[in-house]
Amino acid sequence: MKIIEFNRTKGIYNFELQKINTLFHAHPVIEILYATDGLFLLETTSEKYEGISFAVLDKNVRHKISSDHNCEIKLLMIECDDSLFRTFLNQCD
């Protein structure tokens, strides 16, 4: 894992990963995952998404993520006021 930014003041946490394999967990932040190379699997308690390259998870959503060693993932966590982000997402529906 490479830490690009870990800023508690701004509430922004930015990482790059070569491979990921987690158990079910949740974060009190919005999580954005983007595979720049390869695909990953995302599971929530009610859904399973295989072979995806992009995902946005809301705060406190239980999930697990896995990929093989050929997957490069950018991971951004945002814990600041998310009202602008939510407005944007609502316009996409």
Side-chain angles (χ1 to χ4, degrees):
M1 176 190 307
K2 180 178 178 184
I3 300 172
I4 307 300
E5 182 177 8
F6 194 90
N7 190 320
R8 290 184 182 183
T9 304
K10 291 182 181 178
I12 295 176
Y13 312 98
N14 190 356
F15 308 95
E16 288 182 3
L17 307 146
Q18 293 295 316
K19 178 183 175 182
I20 189 167
N21 189 16
T22 71
L23 300 174
F24 272 103
H25 66 284
H27 310 276
V29 297
I30 292 173
E31 186 173 359
I32 302 168
L33 298 117
Y34 172 61
T36 57
D37 188 25
L39 301 171
F40 59 92
L41 166 81
L42 168 65
E43 269 187 81
T44 66
T45 53
S46 60
E47 299 286 336
K48 186 175 185 177
Y49 306 94
E50 297 184 60
I52 62 173
S53 61
F54 182 79
V56 178
L57 292 164
D58 203 356
K59 296 176 181 178
N60 302 312
V61 172
R62 285 185 45 80
H63 64 282
K64 71 178 184 177
I65 305 163
S66 61
S67 71
D68 61 27
H69 64 280
N70 295 324
C71 188
E72 293 183 27
I73 297 177
K74 293 183 183 269
L75 170 64
L76 178 64
M77 295 181 176
I78 305 169
E79 94 180 325
C80 55
D81 176 22
D82 59 359
S83 58
L84 181 61
F85 182 74
R86 289 188 183 287
T87 300
F88 172 77
L89 285 181
N90 287 335
Q91 292 173 355
C92 294
D93 286 341

